[in-house]
Amino acid sequence: MAGGSTDSGRQAAEVVVIGAGLSGVAAVIALRRAGIGDIVVLEKSGRLGGTWRDSTYPGCGCDVPSMLYEYSFAPHAWSRCFADRSEILDYLRTTAATHGADTAIRYDTEVLSSRWEPDAHRWNLRTTSGTYTARAVIVATGPWHQPRYPDIPGLGTFPGTAFHSARWNHDADLTGRRVAVVGTGASTVQFLPEIQPEAAVVDVFQSTPNWVLPKPDYSLSPDIHRFLGQHPAARRALRGLHHRTQEAIGVPLRHPRLLGPLEAVARLHLRTSVPDRALRRALTPHYRIGTRRLITSDTYYPALTRPNVRLHPTRVTAVAGPHIIGADGTRTRADIIVLATGYHIGDIPLADHLYGTNGTTLARTWADNRRAYLGTSVSGYPNLFLLLGPNLLTGTTAVPTVLEAQLRYITTALTHLRTSGCAALDVRPEAEEAHQQALHEALRTTVYNTAGGSGYYFGLPGVNTFCWPWSTARLVKRLHAFDPDVYTWTVPLPAQAGPERDSLPTCPPGRLP
């Protein structure tokens, strides 16, 4: 049974997974399929779902085709080509229940600290529900976890209601109200068309315009699913078409000389959606497409043309009483402020409280460069694995594809650990460094690194901590080939010297026995 008690009252497990979102659910299923059943998932909320549980803003949905946003082992009859948040959340809950992953979850259990104990070769996790020990820890908190709140003078004294779009205040009635939206990223693109018909006035403050591509959304009727169910090859072909389309978009992002046709599509989309020339000029980016997160929508531009919506192409510099003040002198009155200012992309909430071999926190280790070997292992943190860690995603790759590739890698590593007789594995610093150098050298020629060292992809100033610079196929291939020689392997010492010591398996550093 997972999560047994030790004599000291601590809960013990072979693997502790932190987080019960898309990543955490997939981790439990993958581990059990690999024969690792002693698993505990620690979830600080009272429900599973991760970002799909927390992000409840109107219009929230997936920006990659639904058929790519599913586990390969759990195909789903999606109602639309691009699923909304509620359908994705239902899919996660149903999949977790069907595969029994929900039985491993300990809800309302927040991890306060996680510390590697070198003598015991185990992780010690202090939580709000007691202490857990584990041979290995998988961090599955996801890159879209912590909302980014802007530092706007006077915001704290705003007399109306203000909230972040990632923590939508459903008690705030927008009907007939004056709403100010700060930011025009992916969330605004989704919720603006939903709130525009309700509000009296919507003032949208845009510091930087985004490239917006058409979104070929369409309903998937029961008749279509009946046909796809009767002809599995047709479903595979449709899913393959979506995958190839996403990959085709990714090619010019890696080779910017090929960006012209993609930018032409985006410009045509803007021209056909926005008749007003002045508004089109304000919405036209002056940087290459792909420098920032790709956005797709067929409803955002039309919403901006409605009489009750005003676009202000300026950043917000202050809030004075009920007034929002822009850098260009714009001054508007608002009853409600929606902060659509994104997330601290890639930040691990536990980083300040996760201690490695020398007692250093992950946050300090990552102070200058957030790094991990293949986005999964960090040197100095044995038996620790990150899901969707640094530099594993792109503007086009579907998250489940990355997750499943990573989990094949992690389960292979843990299986090696089990069968070798070793107590711990830790990625070699030189292997981590070589990977970092190759990765950032490859990123240098992509469009992702043309934002002047800032923006969505840059978790640290001047350091792209988000993007994988090669194809998805290369990512999957690299994660499929687990190499034990890039790790050091630690042999457990016996409790006391004696004849039994000679019977211990040998596990010399750097090589698997």
Side-chain angles (χ1 to χ4, degrees), residues 221-245:
S221 68
D223 288 340
I224 291 176
H225 283 297
R226 192 175 302 112
F227 173 81
L228 295 176
Q230 294 170 351
H231 301 86
R235 191 183 198 279
R236 289 195 298 271
L238 181 57
R239 193 176 191 275
L241 175 62
H242 288 315
H243 174 75
R244 287 190 294 274
T245 300

Side-chain angles (χ1 to χ4, degrees), residues 345-421:
I345 299 296
D347 279 6
I348 293 179
L350 193 61
D352 282 317
H353 308 286
L354 199 158
Y355 299 85
T357 52
N358 60 0
T360 301
T361 64
L362 183 61
R364 178 168 293 183
T365 298
W366 278 358
D368 299 321
N369 188 359
R370 196 177 296 156
R371 57 171 62 198
Y373 180 74
L374 293 176
T376 306
S377 300
V378 182
S379 183
Y381 296 81
N383 297 5
L384 178 78
F385 303 96
L386 310 178
L387 289 178
L388 304 180
N391 296 104
L392 270 190
L393 297 173
T394 70
T396 59
T397 305
V399 166
T401 300
V402 179
L403 280 177
E404 292 191 34
Q406 266 195 290
L407 286 165
R408 282 194 296 271
Y409 184 92
I410 292 169
T411 54
T412 302
L414 290 175
T415 300
H416 275 299
L417 195 62
R418 273 183 152 196
T419 58
S420 69

